[in-house]
Amino acid sequence: MNNFGLDIWANNNFIIEDGQIKLNYKCMPSILQIVEEIRSDNVKGPILLRFPHLIKRQIKTLYSYFDKAIQHNNYQGSFNAVFPLKVNQFPHAVEAITSQGATYNYGLEAGSKAELILAMSKTPNGANITVNGFKDKEMITLGFIAAQSGHNITLTIEGLGELETIIEVAKECDLKIPNIGIRIRLHSAGSGIWAKSGGMDAKFGLTSTEIIEAVNQLKEAKLLDCLSMIHFHIGSQMSDIAPLKKALREAGNIYAELRKMGASKLNSINIGGGLAVEYDQHTHSKSRNYSIDEFSSSVVFLLGEIMNAKNVKHPDIFTESGRFIVASHAVLITPVLELFTQDYQEKLLNFKTVNPPLIEELVELNKLLNNTNCIEYLHDALDHMESLLTLFDLGYIDLQDRSNAEILVHNIIKRALYLKSANPTDELEQLQVKLQERYLINASIFQSLPDYWGLNQHFPVMPLHHLNTQPLRAASLWDITCDSDGEIGFNPDKPLYLHDVNLDEEDYFLGFFNVGAYQETLGMNHNLFTHPSEYTVYINDTDYKITNKVESKSILDILESLGYNKNIVSDKLKNDLLASKFITEKEKNDTLAKLELYLDQNGYLRTTN
Ligand SMILES: *Cc1c(COP(=O)(O)O)cnc(C)c1O
């Protein structure tokens, strides 16, 4: 049975049972059950579910593997982690991260002024804040304010100019001076699509000449004791561990050299993020060639080895893994609104009293098709279809005949696919692809899966139910934006097969997994579709609790967020309707009520689904 690669990407977070996908945790609710409960409240459109226990699991995994490596290698430094806010700044995600990380003293990383303000307001007392990215004097002053207010904050300088500003601010005020970190410009480049973060031509970091200059400037300003951290980040979704090892050797040696140059309070190496997530649905371990075990062991072992060789105290280790921590916690649920080839339903057949002989034959083939004859009958049907289309072009049969023929042939192909699903022939597999079904999903790819649009990043996708029947329709997914890029096409190399469902009779939901990292704030309001309705789900031994409901923005609020005055917009619409003529007062009032309702709802489609 098709398990949609669950064994590859799901990390045992989900299981299939009774034909549904369920959370593999405590009372093990099915996702469909949660979605139906939410939708019973008249919620329409896409839904984003957050599962805080999955964040906890990742934080725990990260800390426990590093702790294990530290013990195993008799390493003398400590392990510390911070969450880089750029990966997900949404309130209920950050709340889950800080609460689930509280027992680990898990901190936050900021890369901009707004993120720094957020970090200052959300970092638990005593946890670390690290600050990366380009900084002006204001941002640096904010760092001083954070230190003065009791935060354990490190400002990592990206260039000498920032260090000069830190020295300037330190001279101008009496505020507590934050810890200072230096981002090093690696000569070794990273791997993966985001590799620009490392390498000689990298956007960030100080060269060795600049590092020496920085130490001299710090000495001169009597601030060398503030230098506490060496930092690098080789890029996100690191596919290969080799560049990390090179970077560690480089950073480790720089650390040891700086200690020897008198930086006696230098005590940490921050290895940035980059720990990859498995998004692949088809082949094992394509996204990365290492495990968390190998990752943590390599970091600890290499740093220990370098320090032992140079006789330098082992540094504390910091990581800023983001994707690894939050990707799995969010699942996007999209209702399917339509299957385009459902136009070929048998009930739409409309025979005449006398039909063309080839059509009568198709009817017979359709009736008598079975497991032994299906390939032969399929060939006959395809052959008849060719002939019937020629007859249509020549004017010998009419549109009704053609429609009947198309429905019958579609049906024969589909039934042949089902009959031979256990071991399909090459020909059937090709037909399957040709006969692709387009599933219209009530969501926007631009809003909810922007990395698919921008970087062709694949996200695991599967139906929430029907999982005890083999899906046989080669599927392409179309979103409801009117942009042709809003499509996830069928890829024969990594095929997605979905079920043939009758949406008049039942709902069909798809889940997109591992969407908790980067997608939410990168998501854009193309066509004015906004963030899906979101919910946080806490699961315990007997039950689950749906909290933190944030419904997708109403249409008027979307317009307001663009800078329109929502009262002017709604008054204009209402007054135009009120001033119109030739309908009764009653109809006018009823219509007005309808209009008000529409303006107050989110912009996703509300047809049946
Ligand atoms: C983006 C970023 C991270 C997070 O990277 P992930 O691949 O999500 O772990 C960490 N540190 C810095 C400096 C970053 O810019």
Side-chain angles (χ1 to χ4, degrees):
M1 192 61 62
N2 188 334
N3 72 354
F4 295 89
L6 200 76
D7 51 328
I8 302 170
W9 56 263
N11 197 21
N12 288 321
N13 291 331
F14 302 96
I15 57 160
I16 295 173
E17 214 179 66
D18 310 325
Q20 298 194 359
I21 180 158
K22 297 183 174 177
L23 281 121
N24 189 16
Y25 185 67
K26 296 204 169 165
C27 74
M28 299 177 64
S30 87
I31 300 183
L32 183 67
Q33 183 187 352
I34 297 170
V35 167
E36 281 177 342
E37 183 174 335
I38 290 168
R39 285 167 54 91
S40 68
D41 216 7
N42 200 28
V43 171
K44 303 285 179 175
I47 290 172
L48 188 94
L49 299 179
R50 298 190 197 283
F51 298 105
H53 73 276
L54 295 180
I55 294 181
K56 173 108 176 197
R57 179 172 181 206
Q58 293 306 95
I59 296 175
K60 193 172 162 190
T61 301
L62 185 70
Y63 276 86
S64 60
Y65 275 100
F66 269 96
D67 286 346
K68 190 178 91 175
I70 282 175
Q71 280 186 11
H72 184 79
N73 289 284
N74 196 20
Y75 189 83
Q76 302 303 309
S78 66
F79 176 73
N80 309 267
V82 290
F83 176 76
L85 281 168
K86 78 160 187 278
V87 185
N88 197 325
Q89 308 94 336
F90 269 60
H92 298 306
V94 172
E95 187 182 303
I97 291 157
T98 49
S99 61
Q100 302 295 324
T103 48
Y104 297 91
N105 215 18
Y106 190 44
L108 294 171
E109 183 265 2
S112 66
K113 275 186 229 178
E115 286 181 359
L116 177 53
I117 298 284
L118 185 55
M120 287 162 69
S121 75
K122 291 291 171 194
T123 308
N125 272 349
N128 295 293
I129 298 179
T130 60
V131 187
N132 301 306
F134 297 110
K135 300 165 212 64
D136 61 3
K137 191 168 175 181
E138 267 181 29
M139 188 160 165
I140 285 168
T141 308
L142 276 172
F144 278 67
I145 294 173
Q148 179 67 31
S149 312
H151 283 296
N152 211 346
I153 182 170
T154 307
L155 294 182
T156 298
I157 57 165
E158 308 278 358
L160 284 175
E162 288 179 8
L163 181 60
E164 283 154 20
T165 313
I166 291 177
I167 294 170
E168 194 182 312
V169 176
K171 279 189 187 141
E172 285 170 12
C173 68
D174 288 330
L175 297 173
K176 187 162 180 231
I177 301 167
N179 297 320
I180 298 172
I182 293 180
R183 180 157 181 172
I184 57 172
R185 182 168 304 196
L186 300 165
H187 77 74
S188 51
S191 67
I193 337 177
W194 291 269
K196 286 191 284 296
S197 300
M200 286 284 268
D201 52 353
K203 184 170 160 192
F204 302 106
L206 278 70
T207 63
S208 48
T209 316
E210 287 169 327
I211 293 172
I212 295 172
E213 177 60 24
V215 171
N216 290 337
Q217 287 192 17
L218 281 166
K219 266 187 194 157
E220 206 174 297
K222 302 210 167 20
L223 291 178
L224 191 56
D225 277 357
C226 293
L227 179 60
S228 68
M229 184 182 279
I230 291 293
H231 175 247
F232 68 84
H233 169 66
I234 61 177
S236 204
Q237 188 65 1
M238 185 177 73
S239 54
D240 180 7
I241 198 161
L244 174 75
K245 292 188 173 182
K246 278 202 200 127
L248 283 165
R249 289 206 184 86
E250 212 178 327
N253 280 297
I254 290 173
Y255 174 89
E257 294 292 317
L258 289 179
R259 291 274 313 187
K260 289 186 172 167
M261 284 166 71
S264 59
K265 295 282 164 64
L266 182 63
N267 58 12
S268 317
I269 291 188
N270 180 342
I271 64 170
L275 197 46
V277 162
E278 189 57 74
Y279 292 104
D280 208 88
Q281 251 180 306
H282 290 90
T283 37
H284 275 276
S285 297
K286 267 195 80 186
S287 301
R288 51 177 181 180
N289 71 353
Y290 57 91
S291 63
I292 171 78
D293 200 359
E294 181 180 351
F295 178 87
S296 50
S297 306
S298 303
V299 172
V300 173
F301 172 78
L302 274 173
L303 290 179
E305 189 186 52
I306 295 165
M307 302 312 148
N308 293 346
K310 293 212 160 175
N311 202 16
V312 170
K313 185 172 160 261
H314 293 175
D316 293 338
I317 297 167
F318 276 70
T319 72
E320 298 174 335
S321 273
R323 187 187 295 276
F324 178 83
I325 298 294
V326 289
S328 62
H329 97 283
V331 182
L332 174 75
I333 313 296
T334 66
V336 173
L337 292 169
E338 199 174 329
L339 273 63
F340 282 82
T341 66
Q342 284 218 326
D343 313 341
Y344 295 116
Q345 284 172 35
E346 259 183 299
K347 67 174 187 218
L348 297 174
L349 284 169
N350 187 3
F351 295 117
K352 301 170 176 167
T353 24
V354 183
N355 296 292
L358 281 176
I359 294 207
E360 293 294 354
E361 278 186 47
L362 285 177
V363 172
E364 280 302 290
L365 291 172
N366 190 31
K367 196 156 70 189
L368 300 175
L369 191 81
N370 66 30
N371 200 17
T372 20
N373 66 23
C374 78
I375 297 294
E376 185 191 335
Y377 280 21
L378 173 69
H379 290 155
D380 290 347
L382 292 173
D383 191 46
H384 290 356
M385 189 70 221
E386 286 288 325
S387 310
L388 282 160
L389 286 173
T390 311
L391 289 175
F392 178 77
D393 290 345
L394 296 174
Y396 291 109
I397 64 167
D398 65 15
L399 197 56
Q400 185 59 60
D401 293 328
R402 179 173 163 177
S403 156
N404 290 339
E406 284 177 359
I407 294 172
L408 286 165
V409 172
H410 248 91
N411 209 44
I412 290 167
I413 300 174
K414 250 163 60 173
R415 287 182 47 214
L417 287 177
Y418 278 87
L419 286 168
K420 290 283 166 202
S421 62
N423 44 356
T425 61
D426 285 354
E427 181 191 20
L428 273 173
E429 278 183 348
Q430 280 166 20
L431 272 175
Q432 211 167 7
V433 173
K434 265 204 209 137
L435 213 75
Q436 255 177 63
E437 180 60 277
R438 291 169 299 172
Y439 290 74
L440 182 70
I441 56 172
N442 200 0
S444 155
I445 289 171
F446 301 89
Q447 169 59 236
S448 294
L449 305 167
D451 276 346
Y452 177 79
W453 173 72
L455 300 162
N456 222 355
Q457 170 69 57
H458 176 83
F459 293 92
V461 54
M462 64 182 288
L464 303 185
H465 44 154
H466 284 279
L467 297 170
N468 41 19
T469 50
Q470 188 72 21
L472 289 170
R473 303 307 310 269
S476 57
L477 308 179
W478 290 34
D479 77 2
I480 52 167
T481 65
C482 51
D483 189 312
S484 54
D485 280 341
E487 182 200 348
I488 300 178
F490 181 78
N491 176 355
D493 294 332
K494 298 184 165 192
L496 173 68
Y497 294 102
L498 295 176
H499 300 94
D500 207 4
V501 282
N502 185 347
L503 294 171
D504 293 337
E505 281 162 19
E506 59 173 333
D507 290 334
Y508 191 57
F509 296 101
L510 299 181
F512 290 86
F513 292 81
N514 286 345
V515 299
Y518 293 103
Q519 304 317 296
E520 296 184 51
T521 30
L522 274 179
M524 57 205 116
N525 296 350
H526 193 28
N527 268 157
L528 302 186
F529 289 110
T530 59
H531 195 272
S533 301
E534 65 156 278
Y535 304 82
T536 304
V537 185
Y538 287 95
I539 301 169
N540 58 38
D541 287 327
T542 51
D543 211 351
Y544 63 88
K545 200 172 83 212
I546 301 172
T547 62
N548 298 342
K549 160 179 164 170
V550 186
E551 256 207 74
S552 186
K553 262 196 200 141
S554 77
I555 292 174
L556 279 183
D557 286 341
I558 298 166
L559 295 177
E560 179 104 338
S561 70
L562 283 182
Y564 294 96
N565 181 319
K566 67 178 177 185
N567 295 325
I568 294 177
V569 171
S570 94
D571 288 350
K572 164 87 174 120
L573 267 67
K574 287 184 212 164
N575 291 336
D576 284 355
L577 176 66
L578 286 171
S580 70
K581 297 194 177 80
F582 309 123
I583 51 169
T584 62
E585 277 308 300
K586 174 165 183 343
E587 187 164 8
K588 214 175 248 185
N589 286 332
D590 290 351
T591 312
L592 197 62
K594 237 186 235 169
L595 181 63
E596 277 175 345
L597 177 70
Y598 296 168
L599 292 171
D600 199 38
Q601 289 175 337
N602 73 51
Y604 288 97
L605 300 190
R606 310 181 77 78
T607 40
T608 55
N609 286 290

